[in-house]
């Protein structure tokens, strides 16, 4: 039977910590190279085992040896309704233990937090989903609609071996799915002691990863040389790295700023949104990146000997485009680098944007307010990208909703791909309660 009001029992809120800790201890580092990426198969098998323990059958699909994706379906009580996709990735970005206060794959509990690479990106949500589903199976709860679970590989390198593989080769697994929830949404931002904004992702920027290639005349490093590929590349990279792209206000950002203005009691100048965004503290880094296209140099490669001028040099640029701005971003970049630098796209995936309305949004908001009376849900745009880019190609309306109530002083955005990544234990347990309420009623 379904239940519209009863929250998850203590078993689920206790178990989520152990589940998350187990997942953090599985090194699922995704280097972007199949030969050096590790652990995704082991993590998928762990999830399958935990689901099997409570009677849920799951399928594991490998896109390449070790690159494992898991999908399961929880039948609802109203089979005529559209299904909901709940997706989370199992891979993580690399972590250097020498930079961390704890070992990044230790799953250490310290100071009220669970520490480890993936703690908020996004094994916390994976564990929440597992905890809720296991609790349902033990106690006979069923959702109203079918819930499809997808635990994916390769999100941190563009999802080719993960969500995109599933949507290309196994799209039947998502039959009936019209809406989805995934990472980086539903987290809190404290306005004051009584009020918290909860940012629900309704949009995300496009991925436009590219490489710049410069060519020149090879030669001896001791001689005067006016056709140096490294010099040409360095100048182009510097122009990109220092460039500020113009402000472009999307519908989502306008809606977010309007809500913020109302809650904070401030006026926001649409011609100068950065002044207001600067007042948002730790989340300003995310929000500030959603009012313009961005391009950040991340890697350089050139040469093979100290005294040899190489004939070519390469740079990688992490570009993120606003909805509808990918072509304009390319035009701007070509103008910046000049005619002699070649541009090669490594990943090009479109931005996404939906509206902040409908029954699913209402259910999210109700679940948040039931657990936190000071909750004020608002739409926002994620400055990065997620597996939603793949699932949206199936016509699925995607949201970021991985609920967390966070301490007011935690720099949440700074933990993504950073050092000392950690999630508050009570935040994990809050997330389980909210997710349970939401999934029962949606």
């Amino acid at each position: 039977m379904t239940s519209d009001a009863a929250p998850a029992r203590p078993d689920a809120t206790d178990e989520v910590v152990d589940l998350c800790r187990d997942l953090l201890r599985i090194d699922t580092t995704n280097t972007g190279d199949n030969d050096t990426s590790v652990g995704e198969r082991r993590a998928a098998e762990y999830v399958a085992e935990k689901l099997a323990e409570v009677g849920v059958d799951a399928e594991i699909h490998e896109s390449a040896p070790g690159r494992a994706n898991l999908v399961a379906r929880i039948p609802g009580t109203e089979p005529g309704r559209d299904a909901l996709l709940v997706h989370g990735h199992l891979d993580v970005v690399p972590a250097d233990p020498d930079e961390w206060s704890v070992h990044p794959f230790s799953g250490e509990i310290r100071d009220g937090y669970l520490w480890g690479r993936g703690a908020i990106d996004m094994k916390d949500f994976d564990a929440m989903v597992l905890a809720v589903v296991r609790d349902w199976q033990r106690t006979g709860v069923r959702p109203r609609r079918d819930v499809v679970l997808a635990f994916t590989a390769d999100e941190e390198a563009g999802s080719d071996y993960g969500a995109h593989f599933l949507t290309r080769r196994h799209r039947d697994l998502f039959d009936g799915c019209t809406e989805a929830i995934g990472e980086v949404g539903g987290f809190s931002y404290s306005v004051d002691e009584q009020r918290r904004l909860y940012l629900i992702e309704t949009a995300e920027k496009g991925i436009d990863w590219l490489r710049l290639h410069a060519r020149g005349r090879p030669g001896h490093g001791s001689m005067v040389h006016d056709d140096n590929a490294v010099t040409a590349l360095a100048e182009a990279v510097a122009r990109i790295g220092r460039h500020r792209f113009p402000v472009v206000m999307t519908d989502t950002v306008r809606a977010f700023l309007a809500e913020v203005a109302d809650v904070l009691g401030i006026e926001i100048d649409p011609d100068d949104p950065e002044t207001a965004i600067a007042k948002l503290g730790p989340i300003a880094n995310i929000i500030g990146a959603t009012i313009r296209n961005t391009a950040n140099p991340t890697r350089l490669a050139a040469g093979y000997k100290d005294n040899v001028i190489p004939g070519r040099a390469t740079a990688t640029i992490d570009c993120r485009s606003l909805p509808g701005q990918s072509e304009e971003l390319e035009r701007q970049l070509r103008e910046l680098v000049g005619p002699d630098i070649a541009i090669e796209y490594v990943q090009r995936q479109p931005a996404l944007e939906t509206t902040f309305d409908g029954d699913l949004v209402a259910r999210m908001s109700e679940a948040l307010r039931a657990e936190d009376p000071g909750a004020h849900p608002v739409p926002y745009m994620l400055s990065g990208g997620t597996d939603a880019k793949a699932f949206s190609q199936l016509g699925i309306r995607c949201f970021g909703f991985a609920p967390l109530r966070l301490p007011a002083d935690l720099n949440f955005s700074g933990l993504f791909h950073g050092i000392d990544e950690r999630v508050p234990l009570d935040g994990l347990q809050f997330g389980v309660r909210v997710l349970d309420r939401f999934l029962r009623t949606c």
Side-chain angles (χ1 to χ4, degrees), residues 336-350:
L336 282 170
V337 302
D340 298 328
I341 304 293
I343 294 178
E344 171 199 6
Y345 278 91
V346 180
Q347 286 278 350
R348 198 171 195 182
Q349 299 186 42

Side-chain angles (χ1 to χ4, degrees), residues 35 45 64 178 181 259 277 297 311 333 337 383 387:
D35 293 335
E45 289 174 346
T178 58
I181 62 168
E259 294 280 359
I277 290 171
L333 289 169
V337 302
S383 58
D387 280 339

Side-chain angles (χ1 to χ4, degrees), residues 1-3 6-9 11-12 15 51 54-56 73-77 84 86 128-149 181 432-442:
M1 297 293 291
T2 60
S3 171
R9 280 144 297 281
D11 285 352
E15 187 179 45
L51 291 173
V54 293
V56 176
R73 184 178 287 253
I74 311 298
T77 59
L84 175 73
V86 179
M128 289 181 210
V129 173
L130 274 178
V132 169
V133 169
R134 282 168 60 84
D135 186 61
W136 283 359
Q137 292 295 112
R138 287 190 295 256
T139 56
V141 172
R142 290 179 61 191
R144 294 172 59 194
R145 66 204 303 197
D146 283 10
V147 174
V148 176
L149 310 178
I181 62 168
V432 167
R433 295 193 300 271
V434 172
L435 194 63
D436 177 71
R437 286 182 182 274
F438 165 71
L439 290 175
R440 289 175 187 236
T441 60
C442 71

